Amino acid sequence: MYEFNLILLLLQQMCVYLVIAYLLSKTPLFIPLMQVTVRLPHKLLCYLIFSIFCIMGTYFGLHIQDSIANTRAIGAVLGGLLGGPLVGMLVGLTGGLHRYSLGGMTASSCMISTVVEGLLGGLVHRMLIKRGRIDRLLNPFTVAGVTLVAEILQMGIILLVARPFQEALHLVKSIAAPMIVTNSIGAAMFMRILLDRRAMFEKYTSAFSARALKIAACTEGFLRQGFNQENSMRVAQVIYQELDIGAVAITDREKLLAFIGLGDDHHLPGTAISSQHSRRAIDNNEVVYADGNEVPYQCSLHRGCKLGSTLVIPLRGENQTVIGTIKLYEAKNRLFSSINRTFGEGIASLLSAQILAGQYERQQQLLTQSEIKLLHAQVNPHFLFNALNTLVAVIRRDSEHAGQLVQSLSTFFRKNLKRPEEEVTLADEIEHVDAYLQIEKARFHDRLQIHFDLPDVLLAVRLPAFSLQPIVENAIKHGTSHLLGKGVITLRAEQYNDKLYLSVEDNAGLYRMTPGGSGLGMNLVDKRIRIRYGDEYGIDVEFQPNEFTRIILCLPLMGREPC
């Protein structure tokens, strides 16, 4: 009954001990303790914190006979498990010397046993690290088992060292079970606190949303312009300024595109990838975190590099294939790491989306340009054949008019072959269309009339090149050319709010809706407008059978200030 009461009293004291541990886990001091510690600054912090807990375990103990039933072993064992043999021994020595200073029959034996407990935790640390079983090292059941063995050893040391023996034996009988149970449970719960804090730290970052949004806003459009060295350097600069880390790098599959931060004297953009961590991330399409603790990190370029850890996240393109990586680094002497895996993966997803969007846009542009060239190849031979036949007929009766037609033909083909692929002014587009119409008027004689209703103020507005000619050609080819009487083509330009409306109208009214659309030319023009400006723009058709067909182009008003 006495032992059971002592267990309850020690568990009560241990609860206070663990509450303090829980509260401290909310501070940055515990961040290095959430992983196996191998760096010197982290070892020093590990020694300091667990030495304090080791001493606290003595102060929270219960005085039994001429000794103290305590939870000191929790600090010593955990110091060794997380910091290694040297840290464990030093924590045990510090806690042991403190216990020795308090005196009593078991002062010497408790000092020795506390050092042994720290060493035991350190030896288990070394054994599991060599076997690559870090997961076992951070397992609460492993911690409980090691602490149980440590407490059994302590009882044995008390029996061997403490004198008189009979009193030592009576003491061990009284405190053995309570201390073994309490310290084993307490150590396991302490590790559970660390693991819970670690899981929360990995999953959430207080500034994640704000930083991610800011980085997204600042880097928007950079990589859409191309995944190259110049744009990557601009992105790396933004990320480096926003994150409190040692360095930022961006690579493609073969070489380093950008690097900024510590080590920029030997991590040079344009050089081939040499890091095994980067190669692993690229080849296996996986996130690689070499924290310098659980996974060793050493710069592959310079032994004296100040970088001590890296998080490598793949950048993924179409079909989730790896097209490069973003790498976040931390310095060796940095006590509290700012690298967060969840945050890093969020940034990588953002950049991957930019790259993919840029590739898609360029593919669309190339496709559209190819379609336009196809349209040119289809239209020009047919038109040239008709134009030459018309020219032959005109030469016979009116040489001056024939000269004007040659000039119009020259203007038309010059515009077709040499005009830019992107945007032109409405005046330039009308010049192209007018050259085409002059030849068609000569072909149809008095059966074709052309009317322009184009306000001068709108002639400077810009629009995609080669937008009107296919529409005008359709109006003649599928409209007025089938009339027995006079055909009339009217071109208008009007402004409503911030939009430009261009209409091409014929008086034939022969337009027919077909399942395949409205013909190659009109479909291409509509597709180009929608890709470039969005679905609120494009082509609409109004028609009244046997009366008129009106093709309306809706475009944004660009190239001048709205009226």
Side-chain angles (χ1 to χ4, degrees), residues 443-502:
R443 176 184 168 197
F444 290 101
H445 304 292
D446 295 333
R447 290 175 50 219
L448 179 63
Q449 290 185 357
I450 310 297
H451 298 299
F452 290 98
D453 183 6
L454 305 168
D456 291 342
V457 71
L458 295 179
L459 293 178
V461 172
R462 302 187 69 81
L463 70 159
F466 207 66
S467 291
L468 285 177
Q469 193 275 333
I471 308 301
V472 172
E473 182 177 3
N474 276 352
I476 296 174
K477 182 177 179 181
H478 302 294
T480 59
S481 64
H482 296 278
L483 294 177
L484 295 176
K486 184 176 295 186
V488 180
I489 301 293
T490 304
L491 280 79
R492 293 189 181 89
E494 298 174 289
Q495 172 191 345
Y496 289 104
N497 297 325
D498 58 348
K499 293 181 179 179
L500 171 68
Y501 292 89
L502 300 175

Side-chain angles (χ1 to χ4, degrees), residues 154-172:
Q154 182 181 24
M155 298 304 135
I157 292 171
I158 291 175
L159 291 176
L160 288 173
V161 176
R163 293 294 180 269
F165 178 77
Q166 288 300 324
E167 292 185 19
L169 180 60
H170 183 266
L171 175 66
V172 168

